[in-house]
Amino acid sequence: MISTPPNIDRRQQSRHLVDELKKERQEVWSMYCRVAELKPFSPQQKVQLKLTEFSQLLVDYISLGHFGIYDRLVTGDERRAGVLNVAEQIYPELSKTTDVAIAFNDKYEDALQALNLETLEHDLSHLGEHLAIRIDLEDKLCNMLLN
């Protein structure tokens, strides 16, 4: 969970949250690419360890969006109706992307669990599609927050 520095105004808090979200998003996307580059997947420990590391980053990133950005909006810190309207419009689709990410995490986070190679490529592709959707939605919301 991100903590915003004390004694900064709402605009600075928004900027801080958006910057942190974009930083984590870049880390997740970078790690996603490193996992995808391991194809063809094999039952090596290296694949499972990368998946575990990726899953941890993924959950942190998803959590920041929900408990950082959205929490700020729903707790009443955001007063601009336009921002709240955009957030309300994109939330259902963003929630779907969260569900896909959490399902992926639940399936692949455990390095001690047997790796299901038959579904990994499909699951990774499915997750990638939803991450792309999430990035577009976040960008809309972040642009509204910063303007």
Side-chain angles (χ1 to χ4, degrees), residues 122-138:
H122 173 268
D123 292 344
L124 198 58
S125 176
H126 185 67
L127 175 64
E129 291 169 12
H130 281 81
L131 285 175
I133 291 168
R134 184 180 190 91
I135 288 168
D136 287 341
L137 296 171
E138 286 173 349

Side-chain angles (χ1 to χ4, degrees), residues 50-86:
K50 283 287 183 204
L51 280 171
T52 299
E53 184 181 350
F54 172 67
S55 291
Q56 291 168 349
L57 283 173
L58 181 64
V59 169
D60 289 346
Y61 161 63
I62 296 297
S63 296
L64 178 60
H66 269 75
F67 301 115
I69 303 286
Y70 271 100
D71 188 51
R72 183 189 182 300
L73 295 173
V74 298
T75 58
D77 286 345
E78 181 56 55
R79 296 183 184 141
R80 294 172 289 174
V83 173
L84 295 172
N85 287 339
V86 168

Side-chain angles (χ1 to χ4, degrees), residues 23-72:
K23 178 182 164 225
E24 285 198 22
R25 181 168 77 188
Q26 180 59 40
E27 290 174 15
V28 165
W29 194 252
S30 189
M31 180 60 80
Y32 173 89
C33 291
R34 280 182 276 186
V35 170
E37 288 172 355
L38 296 173
K39 288 192 288 187
F41 298 115
S42 64
Q44 298 173 356
Q45 186 179 17
K46 178 182 178 180
V47 173
Q48 186 61 61
L49 291 174
K50 283 287 183 204
L51 280 171
T52 299
E53 184 181 350
F54 172 67
S55 291
Q56 291 168 349
L57 283 173
L58 181 64
V59 169
D60 289 346
Y61 161 63
I62 296 297
S63 296
L64 178 60
H66 269 75
F67 301 115
I69 303 286
Y70 271 100
D71 188 51
R72 183 189 182 300

Side-chain angles (χ1 to χ4, degrees), residues 4-10 12-13:
T4 55
N7 301 325
I8 62 174
D9 68 20
R10 288 181 298 129
Q12 288 174 315
Q13 287 177 357

Side-chain angles (χ1 to χ4, degrees), residues 66-123:
H66 269 75
F67 301 115
I69 303 286
Y70 271 100
D71 188 51
R72 183 189 182 300
L73 295 173
V74 298
T75 58
D77 286 345
E78 181 56 55
R79 296 183 184 141
R80 294 172 289 174
V83 173
L84 295 172
N85 287 339
V86 168
E88 188 175 301
Q89 289 172 4
I90 70 171
Y91 184 79
E93 194 64 32
L94 191 81
S95 185
K96 289 178 192 175
T97 69
T98 297
D99 293 344
V100 170
I102 297 302
F104 184 91
N105 176 71
D106 290 349
K107 190 171 185 179
Y108 294 106
E109 73 175 329
D110 189 358
L112 301 176
Q113 181 177 316
L115 184 59
N116 186 344
L117 297 173
E118 294 176 18
T119 60
L120 177 56
E121 188 169 349
H122 173 268
D123 292 344

